[in-house]
Amino acid sequence: MTTESYRPRRSVLYIPASNDKALAKIQSLACDTVVIDLEDAVAPADKPSAREKLVAIFAGHSNRRCEMVVRINALSSEWGGADLLAAAKCSPDAILLPKVDTPRDILEAGDVLDDNFIADEVKLWAMIETPRALLNIGPIAELGRDPASRLVCFVAGTNDLVKDTGILATADRRYLVPWLMQMVLAARAGGLDLLDGVFNAFRDMDGFARECTEAAAMGFDGKSLIHPAQIEAANHAFAPSPEAIAEARAVKDAFALAQNTGRAVVALNGKMVERLHLAQAEKLLAKAAAVRA
């Protein structure tokens, strides 16, 4: 992993395609990614007009400060097919597919992009928000190992999972955590990034910061957001801490010593450190460098 190949996705803010006031602030936002939303944040009557605005939205951000993604409506809906083509022709960094249930949902979207000669740089993200998606998450994640699939990121759709399963949405997410950890495992197996779901009480900044810290500890790369006020806390929680950076540098420096050339294990501060720890250290340092850039 290099600094060039790592793209921070600590803070991923949904912005309704129908909200001109919010769209006008994109260039001033400190988030890593914005998701122009055609789905949940747009009323059914407004969906066609929101889709038509995509061209103007992307034309106004030819020099992108942050990653720009479009969330379309489900391909099974009356709007999904037109959304996919309209979004693809704007050359976003990625298209976020909601209501993904099986690998076929990813492959069919990719086929549409390929058939319309959309550049390989336009990637696919997948919402994991249905019981079927969780049951099929291994095969879905495996697509991440095939660049032709375009799949690079999972997004936890926690609100939909709560709705569809009937579990109780507690503050500590105790009934969601097993499924969140299942997403982490699958994402890592597929080489995918993984974003935690939204925190609905956007005025509860303490609760939001706590949930970000817990998600980072679980292995998530970032969090999807519903309000700009959440950006700073997410950026902080999902960035390497000064202590972690110092430890990673120490590991890298230890293996760089002449006497440790070719060694599989070295001693550092009373601990045995293996080359797998070196790989982890290099990954963390690349992440820290990208965040500072």
Side-chain angles (χ1 to χ4, degrees):
M1 178 178 181
T2 64
T3 302
E4 291 76 21
S5 67
Y6 175 75
R7 189 160 207 171
R9 293 182 175 123
R10 302 164 298 168
S11 50
V12 178
L13 178 67
Y14 289 112
I15 298 180
S18 55
N19 189 330
D20 293 335
K21 184 178 179 181
L23 291 168
K25 298 178 180 178
I26 289 177
Q27 286 296 100
S28 65
L29 297 172
C31 55
D32 291 329
T33 306
V34 294
V35 177
I36 309 302
D37 194 13
L38 299 176
E39 196 213 16
D40 286 347
V42 178
D46 297 331
K47 289 184 185 294
S49 60
R51 181 196 309 132
E52 292 169 2
K53 292 172 61 176
L54 287 178
V55 172
I57 291 170
F58 278 85
H61 295 91
S62 54
N63 295 319
R64 301 175 192 173
R65 188 206 60 75
C66 63
E67 188 176 31
M68 292 185 67
V69 177
V70 178
R71 179 165 71 170
I72 65 172
N73 287 280
L75 291 177
S76 59
S77 73
E78 62 184 282
W79 310 285
D83 285 354
L84 179 60
L85 285 176
K89 290 175 181 178
C90 293
S91 296
D93 293 290
I95 296 170
L96 175 54
L97 305 175
K99 305 300 185 287
V100 167
D101 283 332
T102 71
R104 175 52 53 186
D105 295 324
I106 306 293
L107 296 172
E108 288 180 352
D111 287 345
V112 171
L113 300 185
D114 293 342
D115 291 345
N116 285 273
F117 306 103
I118 304 302
D120 293 343
E121 286 75 19
V122 177
K123 303 302 182 183
L124 292 175
W125 292 14
M127 298 289 303
I128 304 300
E129 57 183 345
T130 69
R132 285 191 71 195
L134 282 170
L135 289 175
N136 294 312
I137 196 166
I140 296 172
E142 192 62 26
L143 293 176
R145 295 294 177 186
D146 180 5
S149 78
R150 301 178 185 249
L151 182 64
V152 298
C153 187
F154 277 167
V155 182
T158 46
N159 282 338
D160 281 271
L161 281 172
V162 168
K163 174 180 70 69
D164 288 352
T165 60
I167 65 170
L168 182 64
T170 60
D172 62 4
R173 302 200 296 181
R174 70 186 69 176
Y175 304 115
L176 268 173
V177 165
W179 298 334
L180 295 173
M181 294 307 302
Q182 188 177 354
M183 292 181 204
V184 172
L185 192 64
R188 297 303 165 243
L192 302 170
D193 273 1
L194 177 63
L195 306 176
D196 191 15
V198 298
F199 185 83
N200 299 312
F202 63 87
R203 289 191 172 89
D204 180 8
M205 296 310 299
D206 289 340
F208 175 74
R210 182 169 57 251
E211 190 163 289
C212 284
T213 299
E214 291 170 351
M218 283 191 282
F220 283 82
D221 296 290
K223 193 161 180 68
S224 45
L225 315 177
I226 59 172
H227 196 280
Q230 298 175 324
I231 294 172
E232 183 178 359
N235 283 346
H236 175 75
F238 292 98
S241 68
E243 295 79 13
I245 293 172
E247 183 177 348
R249 284 179 178 152
V251 170
K252 185 175 181 180
D253 291 345
F255 276 99
L257 293 174
Q259 64 265 32
N260 292 331
T261 300
R263 295 185 63 181
V265 180
V266 301
L268 178 65
N269 298 327
K271 296 180 181 179
M272 300 307 293
V273 181
E274 303 177 45
R275 291 218 165 250
L276 67 88
H277 299 113
L278 174 60
Q280 290 174 323
E282 290 175 336
K283 182 176 181 179
L284 186 143
L285 291 172
K287 181 175 183 178
V291 166
R292 290 197 303 269

